[in-house]
Amino acid sequence: MPHPSVRTLLPDAADAAAATARTAVLEVRGITKTFADFTALRDVSFTVGAGAITALLGANGAGKTTLIKVITGLVRQDSGDVLWPASGGSGADRPDSLFSYVPEESGLYERMRVEDIVTYFARLSGMETAAIRAEMPGWLERFKLHEKARQRVIQLSKGNQQKVKLVCALINKPPLLILDEPFTGLDGEGSLLLRDALEKLRAAGTTMLLSSHRLDQMDLLADHLVVIAAGQKILDTTLKDARKLYRQNQIEVTFSEPPPSLDGLPGVLEITWNDGIAELTLGPTASPNLILRALLDRGCQVENFLRHSPDLTEIFHKAYAHGGGGAPAGFTGKGEAI
Amino acid sequence: MKGSLRVRARLLGLIAARDFWAIVETKSFLIGLLAFIFIASVMPIMMVLGRVPSTYKIAVLDPIGGYTEDLRARVRPAQMQFTEFRPPTNVDAPRRTTQQPASTGELPTDLGDTLGEAAKSIPRGGVPEATADELLARVRANEYYALVEIKRGPAGEQTFTMNSVSMADFVPRNMLHNMLNSIILYRRAEAMGITEKQVDALVSPARIETRKITQTSTERADSEKDYAIAFLFPIALVFSLYGLISFQSERLLTALLEEKMKRLIEVLLTRVTIYELLLGKMLGVLYVGFLLYAGVSLLVILGSFVFGVSYLLNVKHFFFFTLFYISGYMLYACFYAAIGAACGNPKDAENLSMPLRMVLMMPIMLSVYVVSHPQTAGSYFFAFFPLTAPFVMINRMIVNDTPWWELMLALGCVGFAAAIGLWASARVFAASMVNPGRSMGLREIWISITGRASV
């Protein structure tokens, strides 16, 4: 995968997915939820488009899990609606099998065999036995679990258990997959495997709503962002637009040979050096094309010319700052929860 | 979440089946089941091996004579056969000369010395001689079940020693004890000039007959033995019911708590309703209970034949016991389910379920009272109070021939309470979904049930 900072310059799967996100699978309208004197959600609205990964982000206690529980019908909202446009249902009256939900750090029946537990959840989702028999081998193979089908859940690694949960959630091909903190408790390899699995699912057209603290992982996965702070939505846009929205007016230039003086470049207000990389701060009327031409005209050996693009951690922090939430609690600069 | 009744029933069945197999497949359950099978298999073995001798053969070493005849007169030959022996003359001679003061025909002045042998003139011809050691050897060789030695104590009183290979059984020992007491009594009376008829008149008990009055007839009640069994039988049934209900309810609590802690419950509740989930789990555990119930029934039936009380088995009792078992389990299961919903860890669940365990034990403590006084206002109250009705009604049903309408009404009370319990536990469940990892306080539980919570 390319570094997130160059993502805007390269066509990728996310762009394609975003382009296909035409139809809304889920519409959340004006959800408010209060517990005693505490307002957990305040007039939250957003839409989950088909075929895309929507990241639901927020600091600890921002209201993400409560929002997911309202969407899944586990908690009843005080006001607002959860609509399923494709089916025409709403709230608790939704038809079955509109979504599959995997809660944060959820477990499985440890003594059940993998194939039995998948069959159980598939049948609860309304699948017939014949359909389950036809579908299960493919799903198990896709997640490299086919050789573990007869093993009991307790014998599996945590990463494989997470994959079993995904198979349980996906076998009935729900229009929407809701994952609450799917990366929690996974090590580096487990996270990589899960991310790979989710990317493949997106490529296959599965719509997902992901809540996570792992901004580094979400940066690589998300097409759309919904950021909430203190129960209120503060950002609702595509990741691409968020990068544009929060990018600093900077260009990073790497030279293969020490350049001559960079003074007087057109539209450049300030030049700072950082590990051999020149960071050019642009004025409001500066043109990257003119700057590049000026550098080449001066005989500079340009190795890399990059318009700075903020990563998700930066976007998140700025969204919190602009949204009045202040610095988000529970986040490090590396995009991981502490 | 909508769906046809058939679909919803299928989901309920799926949950019940999974929970049933989750318990039945465990090794601990299989070991428990094997224990049942073992106990059940021991019953017929006991019927063969535990059979008492048809006739007890008793050797009586009587230096005086007369006791053996008296003993024979007091028992059927099919029950006990007595063979009289006398000590060899040289062994017994010194005793006879020194210990027969009453042989002159004078009445004894001290009743402790009243042997009665003076009143009898017993010919001893034909009675074989044997020493105690010789007879004990024959007891050891199983020729005789026991040896009864008749001796004179230091104060001249008669003493009896019963020797058997093992400790003598309660029944023959008790029979012998009563018979010898009776013989002594009559001999003393005779020595004092009291006739046998006068003694009979003195010792015969007052005739008290018990009659059972129903709306339509009057019938003779059971014997004293039947009363004793009828007293113990309902208490034993209540113990069995307590065991079944508490075992199953605890299982349900454990299963729910496990699902809640693993947040599986949240996944399940996105696919089925809270009522389907609760009912499905209750049914799954109930099916397990039926297995145990079948085991208990088998033991009761076998045991009743082994102990000769099979006449106590009654279709009506069996029918209502089953219904009270199911309804009682459903009622307590609802409470345990609510505790499972309200708690976030096993320790809190154990603490919160403690009062419920006490309530569940209350009917056992009430059993003796109810069996003794089935018609009091207190027994009536507890027979219709839902938490105690399944137990108390079983007690009353067996000892008092409770009318059908009372049994049905009690079932209705329990069923109604179970329905309310199911609704309340579903409310607690819904409230607990907000924060599944945390235990709810009593106030929170109450608020979630009374509907003031916005969940």
Side-chain angles (χ1 to χ4, degrees):
Chain A
M1 285 295 291
H3 188 273
S5 61
V6 298
R7 237 178 123 181
T8 51
L9 302 179
L10 297 170
D12 60 11
D15 289 330
T20 60
R22 299 182 194 97
T23 330
V25 171
L26 167 70
E27 265 186 65
V28 175
R29 281 191 195 164
I31 296 293
T32 296
K33 175 68 190 172
T34 306
F35 299 110
D37 302 329
F38 172 67
T39 303
L41 295 170
R42 197 189 305 267
D43 194 27
V44 177
S45 302
F46 66 94
T47 301
V48 174
I53 294 179
T54 300
L56 181 60
L57 306 176
N60 287 336
K64 302 186 299 292
T65 300
T66 303
L67 182 55
I68 285 181
K69 284 182 177 171
V70 168
I71 292 168
T72 53
L74 292 171
V75 171
R76 194 177 300 162
Q77 68 271 28
D78 298 335
S79 62
D81 280 318
V82 177
L83 304 172
W84 305 87
S87 69
S90 69
D93 296 327
R94 67 183 187 273
D96 288 335
S97 305
L98 265 178
F99 65 88
S100 282
Y101 169 50
V102 182
E104 179 186 6
E105 289 194 78
S106 60
L108 292 163
Y109 297 111
E110 290 180 342
R111 296 199 58 78
M112 282 182 90
R113 297 182 194 284
V114 170
E115 60 184 10
D116 292 340
I117 203 164
V118 173
T119 304
Y120 177 62
F121 280 106
R123 292 193 71 191
L124 281 181
S125 302
M127 285 181 80
E128 297 295 333
T129 310
I132 297 167
R133 281 192 191 137
E135 288 286 335
M136 187 158 52
W139 281 106
L140 291 179
E141 199 165 341
R142 198 171 299 178
F143 284 92
K144 294 185 172 59
L145 289 168
H146 51 290
E147 288 176 356
K148 303 180 191 300
R150 295 289 301 157
Q151 286 187 15
R152 293 188 191 277
V153 169
I154 199 167
Q155 296 172 295
L156 302 180
S157 67
K158 203 161 185 178
N160 278 331
Q161 287 189 21
Q162 192 77 337
K163 288 199 275 183
V164 173
K165 281 184 247 172
L166 281 176
V167 175
C168 291
L170 288 164
I171 190 166
N172 63 326
K173 296 176 184 164
L176 176 64
L177 176 62
I178 302 172
L179 304 175
D180 190 8
E181 300 290 352
F183 294 99
T184 304
L186 294 183
D187 58 13
E189 192 186 349
S191 298
L192 193 67
L193 284 170
L194 178 62
R195 200 181 71 218
D196 183 51
L198 296 178
E199 280 175 342
K200 283 178 179 163
L201 286 173
R202 174 176 53 193
T206 306
T207 308
M208 285 173 268
L209 175 63
L210 268 61
S211 154
S212 181
H213 271 112
R214 291 287 299 270
L215 297 179
D216 55 337
Q217 299 292 342
M218 301 307 279
D219 200 348
L220 302 173
L221 279 169
D223 304 309
H224 195 98
L225 303 177
V226 175
V227 182
I228 55 175
Q232 282 182 295
K233 186 180 79 175
I234 56 171
L235 183 66
D236 179 5
T237 183
T238 62
L239 181 58
K240 191 175 176 178
D241 287 344
R243 290 193 206 282
K244 281 183 193 166
L245 185 67
Y246 290 107
R247 75 181 173 197
Q248 289 176 336
N249 214 5
Q250 276 189 340
I251 290 174
E252 293 173 2
V253 188
T254 312
F255 301 97
S256 52
E257 289 175 14
S261 170
L262 298 180
D263 293 342
L265 286 171
V268 175
L269 303 177
E270 187 184 359
I271 299 170
T272 53
W273 288 89
N274 189 4
D275 286 340
I277 299 171
E279 293 176 355
L280 315 180
T281 304
L282 310 185
T285 57
S287 159
N289 270 346
L290 290 177
I291 295 168
L292 181 59
R293 189 182 300 276
L295 287 170
L296 295 174
D297 288 348
R298 294 184 188 188
C300 296
Q301 298 298 311
V302 177
E303 190 176 276
N304 199 3
F305 185 87
L306 195 70
R307 184 75 187 260
H308 175 80
S309 178
D311 62 16
L312 189 53
T313 307
E314 207 175 327
I315 293 170
F316 184 78
H317 280 264
K318 284 182 176 172
Y320 251 71
H322 293 165
F331 282 87
T332 66
K334 293 176 183 173
E336 297 219 16
I338 51 173
Chain B
M1 284 183 277
K2 291 171 180 172
S4 69
L5 198 62
R6 193 164 153 263
V7 171
R8 307 324 299 183
R10 197 183 78 152
L11 294 177
L12 204 116
L14 270 173
I15 293 167
R18 197 215 73 83
D19 277 67
F20 171 78
W21 287 112
I23 297 171
V24 169
E25 276 184 342
T26 57
K27 282 179 190 151
S28 57
F29 184 82
L30 289 176
I31 291 168
L33 212 59
L34 283 176
F36 263 112
I37 293 167
F38 173 74
I39 296 168
S41 64
V42 162
M43 292 282 187
I45 293 170
M46 279 295 291
M47 287 176 82
V48 179
L49 299 181
R51 202 166 51 196
V52 294
S54 54
T55 305
Y56 292 100
K57 288 183 179 175
I58 314 277
V60 181
L61 186 58
D62 181 3
I64 300 152
Y67 278 97
T68 310
E69 279 307 311
D70 284 351
L71 284 168
R72 283 179 188 142
R74 281 169 168 78
V75 69
R76 283 185 288 115
Q79 280 183 290
M80 282 187 178
Q81 286 180 2
F82 296 97
T83 308
E84 185 178 1
F85 295 91
R86 59 178 177 165
T89 313
N90 59 338
V91 174
D92 198 42
R95 271 196 195 171
R96 280 180 180 276
T97 53
T98 58
Q99 296 180 3
Q100 279 190 310
S103 62
T104 55
E106 295 170 7
L107 283 173
T109 52
D110 179 2
L111 281 178
D113 191 39
T114 306
L115 305 176
E117 65 262 38
K120 296 239 174 201
S121 176
I122 302 155
R124 306 220 69 193
V127 176
E129 290 186 349
T131 63
D133 288 341
E134 285 167 359
L135 291 172
L136 285 175
R138 291 166 78 171
V139 170
R140 286 192 189 96
N142 284 330
E143 188 180 337
Y144 293 104
Y145 177 74
L147 164 67
V148 176
E149 282 185 88
I150 302 169
K151 293 176 185 170
R152 187 185 295 278
E157 80 281 11
Q158 208 73 14
T159 64
F160 303 91
T161 307
M162 190 172 171
N163 306 277
S164 58
V165 173
S166 57
M167 276 295 290
D169 290 351
F170 175 77
V171 173
R173 191 181 61 188
N174 210 36
M175 281 174 70
L176 268 173
H177 189 240
N178 288 338
M179 285 191 289
L180 290 168
N181 255 340
S182 164
I183 291 166
I184 289 291
L185 176 71
Y186 281 98
R187 288 193 176 200
R188 284 174 180 171
E190 197 177 349
M192 294 166 74
I194 303 169
T195 64
E196 252 184 59
K197 281 187 180 174
Q198 285 172 316
V199 175
D200 289 343
L202 281 170
V203 300
S204 67
R207 289 186 62 190
I208 303 168
E209 193 177 90
T210 311
R211 288 178 185 276
K212 209 186 290 182
I213 310 294
T214 65
Q215 292 296 328
T216 52
S217 67
T218 302
E219 58 189 54
R220 194 174 167 278
D222 306 323
S223 67
E224 288 305 315
K225 178 191 165 198
D226 292 332
Y227 262 115
I229 292 167
F231 188 82
L232 294 174
F233 187 60
I235 295 173
L237 282 184
V238 164
F239 265 102
S240 305
L241 191 65
Y242 166 79
L244 282 168
I245 289 179
S246 62
F247 167 81
Q248 288 174 246
S249 302
E250 299 265 350
R251 282 274 184 176
L252 181 74
L253 172 64
T254 310
L256 279 169
L257 204 58
E258 184 195 5
E259 284 181 359
K260 200 182 161 205
M261 286 167 70
K262 289 182 177 172
R263 300 186 68 174
L264 267 164
I265 207 112
E266 294 174 48
V267 181
L268 292 168
L269 287 179
T270 60
R271 305 188 185 203
V272 297
T273 64
I274 185 76
Y275 292 105
E276 285 161 356
L277 181 72
L278 282 178
L279 273 175
K281 296 194 84 62
M282 284 180 192
L283 285 178
V285 179
L286 184 64
Y287 296 159
V288 179
F290 280 146
L291 273 184
L292 299 175
Y293 183 46
V296 170
S297 302
L298 184 69
L299 291 186
V300 167
I301 291 167
L302 278 172
S304 68
F305 281 102
V306 170
F307 298 110
V309 289
S310 55
Y311 61 89
L312 285 173
L313 301 177
N314 179 315
V315 175
K316 181 188 168 190
H317 292 172
F318 181 77
F319 175 71
F320 275 102
F321 182 86
T322 308
L323 290 182
F324 278 117
Y325 156 56
I326 295 171
S327 59
Y329 159 69
M330 294 301 267
L331 175 63
Y332 276 95
C334 289
F335 285 105
Y336 274 95
I339 290 169
C343 294
N345 59 68
K347 196 180 168 192
D348 287 345
E350 198 177 328
N351 289 338
L352 201 58
S353 62
M354 185 59 80
L356 194 56
R357 284 201 198 113
M358 304 291 278
V359 172
L360 191 51
M361 284 179 72
M362 190 171 71
I364 291 178
M365 293 183 272
L366 282 172
S367 268
V368 175
Y369 169 78
V370 173
V371 170
S372 309
H373 312 286
Q375 298 285 40
T376 60
S379 290
Y380 262 104
F381 172 77
F382 287 116
F384 294 101
F385 180 62
L387 289 172
T388 51
F391 304 92
V392 172
M393 231 3 152
I394 284 169
N395 280 337
R396 292 187 70 238
M397 175 179 75
I398 291 170
V399 297
N400 198 40
D401 196 21
T402 312
W404 284 75
W405 72 265
E406 283 188 21
L407 295 167
M408 298 305 290
L409 184 62
L411 273 174
C413 289
V414 181
F416 180 68
I420 291 176
L422 183 67
W423 170 82
S425 54
R427 303 270 303 174
V428 179
F429 250 107
S432 74
M433 284 301 110
V434 173
N435 197 343
R438 190 178 63 85
S439 295
M440 296 164 75
L442 286 174
R443 189 170 169 272
E444 282 176 281
I445 295 172
W446 176 248
I447 288 172
S448 67
I449 294 171
T450 53
R452 278 182 277 164
S454 56
V455 291

